[in-house]
Amino acid sequence: MRRKIIAGNWKMNKTLSEGLALASEVVNIAQDEVPSGVSLVLCTPAIHLSQVAAILKSADRVFLGAQNMSEHESGAYTGDISADMIKSVGAGYVILGHSERREYHHETNAQLAARVKLALNKGLTPIFCCGESLATREAGEHVGFVNNQLRESLYELSAEEMSKVVIAYEPIWAIGTGVTASSDQAQEMHQSIRASLAGQFGEQVAGQVSILYGGSMKPDNAAELLAQPDVDGGLIGGASLKARDFIQIAKSY
Ligand code: PEP
């Protein structure tokens, strides 16, 4: 059975006091309202992690994640955050390869391969993001493009390692734009990602990997997307900044 995961990516939003208030509200509402098979992950700004961790201690199904991580273990990398640091503040997840980081910080597939491997070695669960631009989709090259991202960043892993990775398919044209992929478009890509995983790692591993959809998922479109057989949850940006909207998405399962 694959895990159902609704992860919130707060990006560079919320001061500390605002972030703590949001985390507390999520925990309070989640307790009573989120279906028992669904896990929530809050990926907060790194500077908030340790204090949000204290709030999440009392919650069984709300977990903590970082938004990025260095491929280096430690050393002279000013401003970067290591896997050990993320672990040490109580986070268990890390988003890797978000399209905003690929675009603004020029993260490459090879660099992300090193980060995924290091995260796994350190006991963190990577939420590995992939997805195509509008131009790539319009050229009909989206399946091949995403496959290449998977191949170059994930396919050196062992089958056991791969089974611990969470994938987030996030078409860039749907992120923060209000334009969501249709449920058919999402299912087509998720199915193709799972088929690609099956070809490389076998059916069993492919069946274990949770593949989340990300891109303008909101309370009013979540149910249809989450009903698709290969959509195992969501990575939520804008709608994760309001506790009610975030929980409403999780309740759509
Ligand atoms: C994201 O940035 O991962 C994302 C899915 O953002 P939004 O939900 O705002 O489109």
Side-chain angles (χ1 to χ4, degrees), residues 9 11 95 98-100 129 170 174-178 213-218 235-240:
N9 175 12
K11 311 193 185 189
I95 296 174
H98 191 281
S99 60
E100 288 153 12
C129 299
E170 300 206 301
I175 296 180
T177 58
Y213 168 79
S216 298
M217 195 186 265
K218 305 262 186 278
L235 180 55
I236 323 293
S240 72

Side-chain angles (χ1 to χ4, degrees), residues 150-162:
L150 302 178
R151 190 158 35 79
E152 293 192 356
S153 295
L154 301 180
Y155 287 3
E156 294 291 317
L157 298 174
S158 68
E160 198 198 334
E161 286 170 328
M162 186 63 228

Side-chain angles (χ1 to χ4, degrees), residues 141-153:
E141 290 164 1
H142 46 292
V143 170
F145 181 86
V146 168
N147 245 304
N148 190 53
Q149 288 181 317
L150 302 178
R151 190 158 35 79
E152 293 192 356
S153 295

Side-chain angles (χ1 to χ4, degrees), residues 7-249:
N9 175 12
W10 292 5
K11 311 193 185 189
M12 196 175 73
N13 292 296
K14 303 291 178 190
T15 61
L16 179 59
S17 60
E18 291 166 349
L20 297 181
L22 174 57
S24 301
E25 206 183 340
V26 168
V27 167
N28 289 339
I29 314 177
Q31 204 76 358
D32 299 327
E33 298 190 21
V34 173
S36 61
V38 180
S39 299
L40 304 182
V41 183
L42 303 184
C43 298
T44 78
I47 199 162
H48 301 350
L49 284 170
S50 60
Q51 292 198 52
V52 174
I55 291 171
L56 301 192
K57 266 205 176 119
S58 61
D60 344 324
R61 280 177 294 116
V62 191
F63 301 93
L64 187 61
Q67 297 175 12
N68 184 36
M69 190 199 94
S70 172
E71 66 272 30
H72 303 289
E73 290 226 20
S74 65
Y77 302 100
T78 302
D80 283 351
I81 297 160
S82 75
D84 284 332
M85 291 172 191
I86 294 169
K87 280 283 281 190
S88 73
V89 294
Y93 291 77
V94 59
I95 296 174
L96 293 174
H98 191 281
S99 60
E100 288 153 12
R101 300 231 32 116
R102 290 177 188 261
E103 183 179 350
Y104 307 139
H105 298 273
H106 313 292
E107 292 180 357
T108 64
N109 289 342
Q111 204 172 22
L112 293 167
R115 291 180 188 185
V116 169
K117 184 94 185 160
L118 181 58
L120 289 166
N121 283 345
K122 297 290 184 177
L124 292 168
T125 299
I127 302 177
F128 175 79
C129 299
C130 56
E132 79 287 354
S133 66
L134 187 59
T136 302
R137 177 161 281 263
E138 284 177 347
E141 290 164 1
H142 46 292
V143 170
F145 181 86
V146 168
N147 245 304
N148 190 53
Q149 288 181 317
L150 302 178
R151 190 158 35 79
E152 293 192 356
S153 295
L154 301 180
Y155 287 3
E156 294 291 317
L157 298 174
S158 68
E160 198 198 334
E161 286 170 328
M162 186 63 228
S163 67
K164 295 179 182 153
V165 175
V166 172
I167 292 178
Y169 167 62
E170 300 206 301
I172 299 168
W173 45 273
I175 296 180
T177 58
V179 179
T180 317
S182 68
S183 50
D184 286 349
Q185 286 172 320
Q187 172 57 21
E188 180 207 26
M189 276 306 306
H190 283 231
Q191 194 173 31
S192 112
I193 290 170
R194 207 176 301 288
S196 172
L197 293 174
Q200 180 70 20
F201 298 101
E203 293 287 346
Q204 200 189 338
V205 170
Q208 278 171 0
V209 173
S210 296
I211 307 176
L212 317 184
Y213 168 79
S216 298
M217 195 186 265
K218 305 262 186 278
D220 61 358
N221 59 27
E224 197 184 333
L225 289 159
L226 295 171
Q228 300 307 307
D230 287 294
V231 176
D232 308 310
L235 180 55
I236 323 293
S240 72
L241 299 175
K242 289 192 183 140
R244 271 272 152 223
D245 286 359
F246 185 57
I247 298 291
Q248 197 55 43
I249 291 171

